Amino acid sequence: MKKIEAIIRHYKLEDVKNALSAIEIHGMTVTEVRGFGRQRGHKEMYRGAEYTVDFLPKVKLEVVVVDDDCTKTVESILENARTGEIGDGKIFVTDLSEIVRIRTGEVGEEAI
């Protein structure tokens, strides 16, 4: 089982969600986050004063899938979140050793 975390732009969330639903990936967690990568934020002007915006708003999408669905899930996120501009985000894939559904006590793939 894999946990896929994607940091994407806010306005791409709906596209990614619809694309994941189309490949029958249904459960996900979405969190509003702030951060920066290589670009280190950007400068803006407000009332004639320049200031630096260090932490940019993004969306963190978390999806847990069986190993067989990992590649198509990552490809779907890439395809639908990419704009080609700096700040498109990142995807992190980690192995999960155990999953337990709290309500039923199911363990492993049945808990997904």
Side-chain angles (χ1 to χ4, degrees):
M1 297 170 291
K2 305 282 189 199
K3 179 179 181 181
I4 301 168
E5 296 177 73
I7 309 296
I8 62 173
R9 298 174 187 270
H10 279 86
Y11 65 88
K12 288 297 200 171
L13 177 60
E14 198 66 28
D15 294 340
V16 171
K17 183 187 76 142
N18 292 337
L20 292 178
S21 292
I23 61 170
E24 298 189 9
I25 305 297
H26 299 291
M28 64 185 70
T29 300
V30 176
T31 310
E32 293 196 23
V33 296
R34 299 175 69 79
F36 64 87
R38 282 191 208 151
Q39 80 272 12
R40 301 272 185 210
H42 63 275
K43 296 192 184 307
E44 289 188 4
M45 294 291 285
Y46 180 71
R47 294 188 179 184
E50 186 177 275
Y51 67 99
T52 301
V53 178
D54 291 332
F55 294 101
L56 302 172
K58 301 285 183 178
V59 173
K60 179 178 172 183
L61 174 72
E62 297 174 273
V63 181
V64 175
V65 297
V66 295
D67 291 340
D68 294 342
D69 292 340
C70 184
T71 302
K72 72 178 181 181
T73 303
V74 169
E75 288 172 356
S76 182
I77 294 169
L78 276 173
E79 200 174 293
N80 289 281
R82 179 181 290 144
T83 67
E85 301 293 322
I86 292 173
D88 275 350
K90 298 269 192 297
I91 299 174
F92 306 97
V93 180
T94 54
D95 289 318
L96 295 177
S97 60
E98 187 173 355
I99 300 172
V100 179
R101 185 185 310 254
I102 294 172
R103 179 178 55 88
T104 63
E106 293 171 302
V107 179
E109 291 183 12
E110 293 81 33
I112 298 177

